[in-house]
Amino acid sequence: MASVTLDNVTKAYGDEIAVEDMNLEIRDGEFLTLVGPSGCGKSTTMETIAGLTQPTEGSVYIGGRDVTDLPPKDRGIAMVFQNIALFPHMDVYDNISFGLRLRKYDQEEIEKRVDRAAEIVQLGGMMDRMPEEMSGGQRQRVAIARAIVRQPDVFLMDEPLANLDAELRIHMRTQLQRLHRELDTTIIYVTHDQAQAMTMSDRVAVIDNGHLQQVDPPLTCYNAPDNLFVASFIGSPAMNFFHGAVTDDGFGSEFMNLGFDPEEIGATPGKDATLGIRPEDVYLKRDREEATVPSETIKAHVDVLEPMGDEVFTYLLLEEDVETSAEGRGEGQLLLSLDPQTDIEEGQKVEVVFDRHEAHLFDSASEEAIAHSLA
Amino acid sequence: MSDAEPEHPDLAAQERSEEPELDRGVVEAWAAKMISNPDRAYKSLFYIATIFFLLTTLYPFFWLLMVAITPSGSLNDVGVLTPGGFNPEAFIDIFQLLPFHRFMFNSFLIATVSTVLVLFVASLAGYVFGRLRFRGKTPLLLTVLVVSFFPPAAFFVPLNRLFNRNVDVLRPLLADGSLFNTPFAIVIPVSALYLPLSIFILMTFYAQIPDGLEDAARVEGTTRLGALFRVIVPLSAPGVATAGVLTFITVYNEYFFSSLMTDGRPEMWAPMLEGVLAFRGQYEILFNLMAAASIVAVLPVAILVIVAQEKIVSGLTSGALKE
C-alpha cells in the first residue's frame, strides 16, 4: 500500500504534448479514476506511473520513493490492461504465477498465493486452461488474479472492462469495488466511461487535452464542476448550455434570461458567461414544486422524444425556427429527462421551469465556474 | 409463346451430350475430350507436373545411391537406372578409410554454433527493428541488408589475412592464437553473411506481438530483454524455427568459406564438404565413396527439415500473410 504522487509531470512525443505539467496526489488506499475523452492523456499518465514510458519532465513518487528512473518491475505496481494481455503460450497457473516465479518465490508460497488469488476472483479449477479456451470475463479475472497475486502497493487498471460486453462490464464493476474493499490497496483506474468513473471511485481526476481539470469525489465533480469541460463531460446526458453575458441584473442570452444579483455571486456585469443546467433539473411547469427554487416559466415545444425505459429524454426547442445541427445540442435547444409515465408527444407545446438552485454559471473566456447555484 | 413455334436448332444441339461424330486424329480427339472435360485436363497436368518435379529433385539422389552401391571396379557400368553391381560396403568404408564422422561432426558443430549465434543476434536486432521507433531505423536496416548483397569472395582475402594473423589476446584460447583452422574461421563470416535474412524474418514476427504483452511482462517483473526471451520469442516460435532451420541448412551446405578456412584435415575442423572431396585421391577418384558420403551427409539436414517442417511452413506463410 502506498500513495502515488505526480510532480510536474510532462510527457511529449516529439512536438506532440500528451501530458503537460500534471500534479496529482493519490492517497494511500484510494480508488482514483482518471477519466477523459479518447486521446486526452490519461493512458499516458498511467504509463508514466507504471514506468512503461519515461516522463519528459517531472518526477513520479510511489510511497514517498522517487521511482522516476526505476523500471516497471521495481516499482511495486501491478497492472491490468485493456486488451487483457494474458500470455497466450502459458496456462492460467503459469500466467498468474509468472511474476512470482520471476521473483524466485519458493514453490509452496507460489501455490498458496495463486490459490488465494484464484479464490478471490473465483477461478478455481481452471488452472490448466489456456487463455484462448476461456471467455472474455474469465480472461479478465485471470488478469486481475495475476495482478493481485504479487500483493503490489498500487494497482493500475487501464480500461480493464472496455472489451467486455455490457452485462459483464456492470458485473465486473461491482466485483472490482468488492476487490478494492477486500484488498484495501491503492487503485488507479483509467476509463473514458464516466459511468465507471462515477460508480467506483473515491475520487475522479478529469483530464482533457493533457491537463488535469478537476480532482474531486464523483459527486463533487457532478454537483460543482470546476469548469465547462468537467460540466459537459460528467453527467449523462450532458448539461444544457446557454452562451450569453452577465448583465447588471442577472444573465442574458438569445434564448434564456435569468435575474440575479451579479455582485452576490462574484460575477462581473458585461462579461461573457455560460449558463449550465442539467437535464434532470428541468421540470414541466406542473411539477414545479419538485424544484428547490423554480425559475420563471419557459415556453417551448417538444422536438424529439427518446424513451429510455426508466426515463424519457425530451428535446425541446425554445423557438420555432431554432436550427438543429448534427454536431450536438445547440443554442436554443433544451434537454430534460421526464418520467416515462408523462403524457407528452412530439410537436406538443410545453412550459418548463428549471431549478435555480442547481444552475451553474461559467466564465465563457476562462471556462472557470463562477457559481453553482443561482437561487 | 405458341406451341407451333419451331424450336431453335441450337437448343437441340445443346442437349446432345456427345459431339457429332467427326473423323479426327488421335491428338485432336484427345484435345476435344479435354476441352469438354477440363477437370480431367487439370488432373493430368497436376500429375505430370508432380512427376516432373519429383524426378528432377529425387533422381540425383537415386543416381547417387546407384553410384554408391556400385563396387569401385565397375563404376563405368553404372546405368541410367541401374547400379553397376551391388556392394553397400561403401557406406562403411567412408568411416574407415577416413574419419568421415569427424568431418560431419565438424560441420554439425559449425552449423549449430552459427545458428545459435545468428538467432541470438538476430533476435536482439529483430526486436530493435521490429518494435522500437528511433531515428535512422530504415537506413540502418538497409545497411544490414547490403551486407548480404556482397559476394563472399569479396570478404575472403581480408578475412583470410585476418584469420591467419596471430592475435595475442586469443592465445590462451586457441593453440597458436590465430583463427585459421578453427571452427570460428567459418562461423564468423557465414554468421555475418546469413544474419540479415534472419533479422528480416524475426523482425516481421516480433513486430506482430502486441505491445500489451511486452508491457505486461515488464510490469510483472522482466526487463525488456527478459520480455523478449520469455514472451516475444516463444510466441514467435514459427519464425524462430524458420530462421533457425534456414540458417542451419545454409551454413551446413556452405561451400566457399568451408573449403577455404581450414587446411582440410578433420582434426583441424574441416567441414563435411572437405570429407566428401577427400575421397579424390592422387591416382584414383573413389566416386562410389564420394556418393555414399554425400548421401550420409544429407541425412541430418533431411531429418531436421522433416522434424521442423510444420513449423517452417506455418512460419513462412504466416509471415507472408500478416505483413
Side-chain angles (χ1 to χ4, degrees):
Chain A
M1 268 175 282
S3 63
V4 176
T5 308
L6 297 181
D7 187 15
N8 296 315
V9 168
T10 296
K11 175 67 188 179
Y13 295 100
D15 294 339
E16 196 87 6
I17 292 174
V19 173
E20 193 170 6
D21 201 23
M22 172 100 59
N23 285 294
L24 182 58
E25 169 110 37
I26 299 143
R27 297 175 201 126
D28 189 0
E30 186 176 32
F31 194 130
L32 181 120
T33 303
L34 303 174
V35 67
S38 302
C40 72
K42 56 191 191 297
S43 285
T44 308
T45 308
M46 170 152 291
E47 283 170 15
T48 314
I49 298 172
L52 294 169
T53 180
Q54 283 295 102
T56 316
E57 275 170 53
S59 314
V60 181
Y61 298 88
I62 295 177
R65 191 166 56 119
D66 185 349
V67 297
T68 316
D69 297 317
L70 288 182
K73 68 189 179 77
D74 299 330
R75 292 189 176 202
I77 51 154
M79 192 159 171
V80 180
F81 293 84
Q82 177 175 1
N83 51 12
I84 300 176
L86 294 182
F87 306 120
H89 58 305
M90 298 180 190
D91 65 16
V92 171
Y93 181 87
D94 285 347
N95 260 294
I96 298 178
S97 61
F98 186 76
L100 296 178
R101 285 184 285 128
L102 281 171
R103 285 175 174 75
K104 307 261 186 288
Y105 280 82
D106 63 54
Q107 192 60 39
E108 210 170 299
E109 175 74 10
I110 293 179
E111 267 169 39
K112 211 172 78 192
R113 286 215 199 175
V114 172
D115 280 350
R116 173 84 187 109
E119 197 183 305
I120 292 174
V121 297
Q122 297 158 25
L123 268 176
M126 294 194 190
M127 284 299 139
D128 46 8
R129 293 246 201 122
M130 298 305 279
E132 59 177 22
E133 300 165 351
M134 310 184 88
S135 68
Q138 288 170 334
R139 280 183 219 179
Q140 192 55 266
R141 299 214 299 268
V142 177
I144 292 170
R146 182 174 69 182
I148 61 181
V149 78
R150 284 193 288 118
Q151 300 169 359
D153 296 332
V154 181
F155 270 125
L156 305 176
M157 301 195 177
D158 188 358
E159 307 233 10
L161 309 183
N163 289 351
L164 304 181
D165 61 55
E167 198 185 334
L168 198 55
R169 186 153 58 223
I170 291 167
H171 174 70
M172 288 303 289
R173 213 159 71 186
T174 42
Q175 288 283 337
L176 282 178
Q177 274 171 289
R178 255 182 229 132
L179 192 73
H180 179 228
R181 203 174 51 207
E182 211 164 314
L183 300 172
D184 207 22
T185 307
T186 313
I187 296 182
I188 304 174
Y189 191 99
V190 163
T191 183
H192 66 270
D193 174 5
Q194 49 139 328
Q196 288 175 35
M198 296 297 283
T199 50
M200 295 195 289
S201 341
D202 295 330
R203 283 195 305 162
V204 175
V206 185
I207 300 174
D208 183 42
N209 225 345
H211 290 269
L212 204 54
Q213 305 290 328
Q214 184 168 8
V215 191
D216 269 315
L219 284 178
T220 310
C221 290
Y222 182 84
N223 289 324
D226 274 357
N227 56 39
L228 270 177
F229 176 79
V230 177
S232 62
F233 189 77
I234 301 287
S236 172
M239 199 182 265
N240 296 294
F241 290 111
F242 298 93
H243 301 282
V246 179
T247 57
D248 289 336
D249 53 1
F251 170 84
S253 73
E254 194 184 345
F255 299 100
M256 181 79 70
N257 296 298
L258 191 62
F260 54 82
D261 181 6
E263 255 174 56
E264 203 174 301
I265 58 164
T268 320
K271 270 195 133 180
D272 285 348
T274 304
L275 177 70
I277 303 162
R278 292 209 180 271
E280 42 279 52
D281 297 326
V282 184
Y283 305 91
L284 291 179
K285 193 183 175 190
R286 61 164 190 252
D287 300 326
R288 57 181 300 159
E289 314 79 58
E290 287 181 34
T292 320
V293 184
S295 68
E296 285 172 28
T297 314
I298 303 159
K299 287 197 174 73
H301 71 273
V302 181
D303 182 22
V304 176
L305 292 175
E306 286 180 350
M308 303 298 287
D310 58 339
E311 55 189 337
V312 181
F313 294 152
T314 309
Y315 291 81
L316 301 180
L317 295 183
L318 299 181
E319 275 173 24
E320 285 294 340
D321 53 352
V322 168
E323 274 184 43
T324 54
S325 82
E327 302 280 303
R329 237 173 302 149
E331 296 281 313
Q333 282 180 277
L334 182 67
L335 169 60
L336 73 153
S337 70
L338 289 175
D339 188 89
Q341 308 302 326
T342 314
D343 182 23
I344 196 164
E345 54 189 64
E346 290 177 9
Q348 190 181 332
K349 289 205 183 329
V350 290
E351 286 183 312
V352 295
V353 298
F354 62 87
D355 193 342
R356 297 182 54 145
H357 190 66
E358 303 293 339
H360 306 266
L361 191 68
F362 302 91
D363 184 324
S364 293
S366 68
E367 302 199 344
E368 298 290 321
I370 299 170
H372 296 298
S373 168
L374 298 172
Chain B
M1 250 193 260
S2 71
D3 293 338
E5 197 175 328
E7 234 179 39
H8 196 280
D10 281 358
L11 292 176
Q14 275 175 24
E15 276 171 17
R16 281 197 294 273
S17 57
E18 290 295 321
E19 299 251 326
E21 288 298 321
L22 291 174
D23 189 19
R24 295 201 272 213
V26 182
V27 176
E28 232 175 302
W30 178 79
K33 220 178 198 174
M34 289 303 173
I35 289 165
S36 66
N37 193 356
D39 276 350
R40 249 169 90 170
Y42 297 147
K43 214 169 190 175
S44 50
L45 275 176
F46 169 77
Y47 284 117
I48 290 167
T50 310
I51 289 165
F52 177 77
F53 182 71
L54 285 177
L55 270 183
T56 50
T57 49
L58 292 182
Y59 179 73
F61 277 104
F62 173 77
W63 202 71
L64 265 183
L65 188 65
M66 292 302 107
V67 174
I69 60 176
T70 303
S72 50
S74 32
L75 277 170
N76 286 336
D77 302 335
V78 181
V80 176
L81 291 173
T82 53
F86 185 73
N87 182 16
E89 265 174 36
F91 287 99
I92 295 159
D93 288 346
I94 54 168
F95 296 109
Q96 286 171 341
L97 212 59
L98 281 173
F100 188 67
H101 46 281
R102 177 66 204 265
F103 285 107
M104 278 189 65
F105 170 77
N106 293 347
S107 265
F108 209 83
L109 185 88
I110 289 166
T112 309
V113 171
S114 305
T115 307
V116 170
L117 196 69
V118 164
L119 284 185
F120 181 75
V121 178
S123 278
L124 298 180
Y127 175 85
V128 170
F129 286 123
R131 302 188 64 83
L132 302 184
R133 276 187 297 170
F134 55 93
R135 218 179 284 268
K137 180 161 124 177
T138 313
L140 198 60
L141 193 60
L142 288 176
T143 315
V144 170
L145 190 63
V146 163
V147 172
S148 64
F149 292 165
F150 277 87
F155 296 115
F156 174 67
V157 174
L159 280 179
N160 196 42
R161 298 207 55 159
L162 180 71
F163 290 165
N164 273 305
R165 179 163 302 164
N166 292 333
V167 184
D168 286 338
V169 192
L170 295 175
R171 222 173 265 285
L173 289 169
L174 307 164
D176 55 358
S178 82
L179 286 167
F180 189 76
N181 274 345
T182 69
F184 305 107
I186 300 171
V187 167
I188 291 167
V190 295
S191 299
L193 277 177
Y194 302 135
L195 192 60
L197 175 70
S198 289
I199 292 178
F200 267 69
I201 294 174
L202 294 182
M203 181 187 81
T204 29
F205 273 87
Y206 294 171
Q208 290 162 14
I209 306 296
D211 286 344
L213 287 180
E214 189 188 343
D215 290 347
R218 286 174 63 203
V219 168
E220 284 298 303
T222 68
T223 54
R224 272 180 184 274
L225 212 60
L228 170 63
F229 288 109
R230 279 172 192 276
V231 174
I232 297 170
V233 169
L235 288 175
S236 310
V240 177
T242 309
V245 169
L246 286 182
T247 308
F248 187 92
I249 294 174
T250 335
V251 175
Y252 190 82
N253 293 340
E254 204 271 340
Y255 183 89
F256 188 74
F257 290 106
S258 302
S259 66
L260 291 169
M261 285 305 186
T262 67
D263 62 10
R265 282 179 291 158
E267 61 273 26
M268 287 301 165
W269 301 97
M272 158 276 285
L273 160 83
E274 300 272 18
V276 174
L277 296 179
F279 295 108
R280 199 176 40 171
Q282 198 173 350
Y283 304 105
E284 191 186 14
I285 300 179
L286 300 166
F287 283 115
N288 58 334
L289 297 191
M290 285 174 82
S294 304
I295 290 172
V296 171
V298 166
L299 289 179
V301 176
I303 291 166
L304 178 71
V305 171
I306 290 165
V307 169
Q309 181 192 15
E310 215 167 290
K311 284 252 154 96
I312 300 173
V313 171
S314 72
L316 288 173
T317 49
S318 74
L321 283 177
K322 279 181 194 162
E323 264 299 304

